[in-house]
Amino acid sequence: MRPGAVKGTYDILPEDQPRWRALFETAARVLGRAGVEEITTPVFEHREVFDKSVGDSADLVVQKEMYTFQDRGGRWLTLRPEFTAGVLRAFIEHGMHTRPLPVKLWSAGPAFRAENVQRGRFRQFHQVNCELVGGGSALLDAEAIALLVDVFAALGLPGVHVKVGSVGDPDDRERYNAYLREVLSPQREQLSETSRERLRLNPLRLLDSKDESDQMLLAPLHRPLDLLGPEARAHFDEVTAALGSWGVPFEVDRSIVRGLDYYRRTAFEVHHAGIGAQSALGGGGRYDGLLANLGGPDLPGIGWAFGVERVLDALHGEGAELGEREQTLAYLVPLDPEAVPEVARLARTLRAEHRIEHGYVARNPGKGLRDADRSGARLAVLRGSRERAASAVVVKDLRSGEQVSVALDDLPAHLRAVAGRPVSEGTATTSGGLAR
RNA sequence: GUGGAUGUAGCUCAGCUGGUUAGAGCACCGGAUUGUGGUUCCGGGGGUCGAGGGUUCAAAUCCCUUCAUCCACCCCA
């Protein structure tokens, strides 16, 4: 069997590229206007970078899902499973804490997780990531959330649901975990097996259970948001007040939860109903303390990421098309061998202004026009012995069928004029269509 | 790691309970049309029927194994 693309990876074909490009360009524009600057970091890092950002979590699963390997020099490296750790590593390495704070950085590119594949979940996938580093103000939390929403809006994606919650400060989390243990331990026999395990290791995650009877048990309980300390509560209220005053639509999610320990206070997710079971387009949160964990200054930060594949899936489902392929203006047809180098040279000069393609072997007019048609070009430009004798070319509009002889010297002006006109309506005339 | 569905031409699929040489549409190539395309008509090339094994006179079809894809569970930075 010949090998196909590796499980969980796929090819982005030429016809898909405009969508991808348009998405990245839109994100760059929206974020750029907010003063967020682009940073590109390597796709792999020393494994400690991700181990430190992720590793002290109770969930060892997370580590199992990282692509970690040893290079020829014996270095342990990890393909990035997310952007935050690498971006913060770069932030620290380049002393960016000396820049005006907060430092706002966005990135885009592939990331890797050794997960099982399903809709919206791949082993190599793509994210757009944004980090606002060095500010603890609730206004930054609100700005981060608003920016994420703004990007979706600029993409023309309807139907997004923004959920905002808070996991509180570390004290709050401990208190909440203790609360869950206290309330649920007497009823542990009624919990599902995995939930019993979670009760022991990481009670917070119980809230994620999809088991119906679990949810029945959990329903009457307080949520993290209900038991926030006064400071975290005030912070949360400031965030929601800012979002409200900016007109950013969101709903408060009392039970929002993060899997990793470094998250503090604000946590948020954006969901979309039309993309299968993995309905989260993106999400993020505040990670005060993470920077210090990575050996940097003790600065707070907040960030988010969204999954490019999922957003494109959602856009497709909503019928929102994104990006267009540039149409070839003219396809140059050599009608005899002598014309081949002539059209090649001509194409090179015309390309200064337009997208131009041409044939590489002599064709009769029938085949040549078919080639031109299939290239998607607006015009076919024919060059053969008759045209040569007149120092001209024949230019045929492939939609209307009209054709004219144009002197070589006049061709640039002619093409410019056509390019400035809207594409002529109507499918080409039938049969004859040929000017005599 | 677990479960379900699906694997037949480049693509989308048909092929019923086993029975001649495995089909269609689209796509591709050629001709009708040797200086005029996209429509139409005619013709053509393309397949280890995912792979391996088994049952049978006979397997795309039934059985087993395996691989892959999709969806879901698990998990989710």
Side-chain angles (χ1 to χ4, degrees):
Chain A
M1 280 277 280
R2 65 172 189 274
V6 173
K7 187 186 188 75
T9 71
Y10 57 92
D11 307 305
I12 306 170
L13 300 178
E15 51 269 37
D16 299 323
Q17 295 294 346
R19 271 191 282 285
W20 283 74
R21 182 180 297 276
L23 183 144
F24 289 128
E25 284 172 356
T26 300
R29 190 180 71 245
V30 171
L31 296 172
R33 285 181 182 176
V36 186
E37 302 207 81
E38 183 171 10
I39 184 169
T40 303
T41 63
V43 296
F44 51 82
E45 299 275 352
H46 291 289
R47 70 178 299 181
E48 304 92 85
V49 172
F50 298 112
D51 288 351
K52 276 184 186 162
S53 76
V54 128
D56 51 344
S57 161
D59 291 312
L60 285 165
V61 188
V62 166
Q63 290 218 39
K64 293 203 100 149
E65 293 187 341
M66 293 198 287
Y67 282 102
T68 297
F69 60 97
Q70 218 168 357
D71 75 2
R72 292 208 214 178
R75 283 176 284 263
W76 281 99
L77 306 174
T78 296
L79 298 182
R80 65 181 174 208
E82 51 139 353
F83 281 67
T84 304
V87 170
L88 295 184
R89 190 229 84 227
F91 178 95
I92 294 164
E93 186 162 337
H94 301 287
M96 296 177 81
H97 63 283
T98 63
R99 301 187 181 202
L101 298 179
V103 173
K104 304 175 175 182
L105 301 168
W106 73 274
S107 316
F112 308 84
R113 295 179 192 175
E115 297 184 287
N116 237 339
V117 172
Q118 71 187 82
R119 183 172 182 184
R121 176 174 280 186
F122 308 90
R123 292 186 173 175
Q124 175 175 336
F125 59 102
H126 298 78
Q127 289 191 327
V128 171
N129 182 268
C130 177
E131 309 289 345
L132 311 179
V133 187
S137 160
L139 225 46
L140 279 172
D141 302 45
E143 179 168 79
I145 294 165
L147 282 174
L148 181 55
V149 173
D150 287 347
V151 172
F152 294 143
L155 289 170
L157 177 62
V160 301
H161 294 284
V162 183
K163 300 177 178 186
V164 183
S166 174
V167 297
D169 288 312
D171 287 355
D172 300 332
R173 290 177 72 149
E174 261 176 55
R175 189 147 27 84
Y176 188 75
N177 275 336
Y179 161 77
L180 281 184
R181 281 203 184 91
E182 187 187 318
V183 179
L184 290 175
S185 288
Q187 313 178 65
R188 53 177 299 117
E189 295 312 316
Q190 295 168 58
L191 289 170
S192 66
E193 198 177 326
T194 54
S195 288
R196 280 200 293 263
E197 188 69 3
R198 281 170 168 173
L199 186 61
R200 197 165 61 79
L201 293 172
N202 194 358
L204 256 181
R205 299 216 62 91
L206 273 168
L207 298 176
D208 279 344
S209 175
K210 284 173 186 165
D211 187 281
E212 272 187 39
S213 61
D214 284 358
Q215 284 301 333
M216 296 269 283
L217 281 175
L218 292 166
L221 303 188
H222 289 300
R223 301 294 153 134
L225 201 57
D226 305 326
L227 300 180
L228 291 184
E231 288 171 18
R233 180 75 226 181
H235 186 91
F236 179 75
D237 290 340
E238 265 188 79
V239 174
T240 55
L243 289 173
S245 80
W246 298 345
V248 176
F250 71 97
E251 51 197 84
V252 172
D253 187 328
R254 293 158 64 230
S255 51
I256 209 159
V257 159
R258 294 278 93 147
L260 300 186
D261 293 340
Y262 57 71
Y263 280 105
R264 285 185 53 183
R265 298 192 173 178
T266 310
F268 55 98
E269 292 172 1
V270 178
H271 288 260
H272 193 278
I275 57 172
Q278 300 299 316
S279 66
L281 295 173
R286 179 164 280 285
Y287 47 74
D288 305 2
L290 176 57
L291 218 66
N293 255 5
L294 289 168
D298 190 8
L299 289 172
I302 183 165
W304 51 251
F306 70 80
V308 175
E309 287 84 354
R310 292 185 190 179
V311 170
L312 290 174
D313 188 2
L315 279 166
H316 183 72
E318 295 282 1
E321 273 317 314
L322 194 64
E324 282 176 22
R325 262 202 276 195
E326 183 187 358
Q327 187 185 23
T328 295
L329 180 63
Y331 183 99
L332 280 38
V333 180
L335 295 177
D336 58 29
E338 209 178 324
V340 173
E342 291 173 351
V343 299
R345 198 157 62 92
L346 188 54
R348 284 183 55 77
T349 62
L350 297 174
R351 282 170 181 167
E353 291 183 73
H354 312 286
R355 173 166 168 156
I356 305 288
E357 296 182 72
H358 68 83
Y360 295 88
V361 293
R363 293 289 239 173
N364 63 45
K367 292 284 187 296
L369 283 168
R370 197 182 52 165
D371 293 344
D373 187 50
R374 289 203 285 197
S375 78
R378 254 176 102 172
L379 304 173
V381 174
L382 306 180
R383 172 74 172 182
S385 56
R386 295 181 197 171
E387 291 74 18
R388 190 171 302 112
S391 288
V393 290
V394 165
V395 177
K396 177 160 186 169
D397 185 309
L398 291 168
R399 303 288 181 297
S400 68
E402 290 166 27
Q403 84 178 34
V404 288
S405 179
V406 177
L408 267 182
D409 290 344
D410 299 335
L411 186 58
H414 184 84
L415 292 187
R416 221 172 287 138
V418 172
R421 281 200 299 271
V423 179
S424 60
E425 277 305 317
T427 48
T429 50
T430 47
S431 65
L434 33 132
R436 302 224 154 228

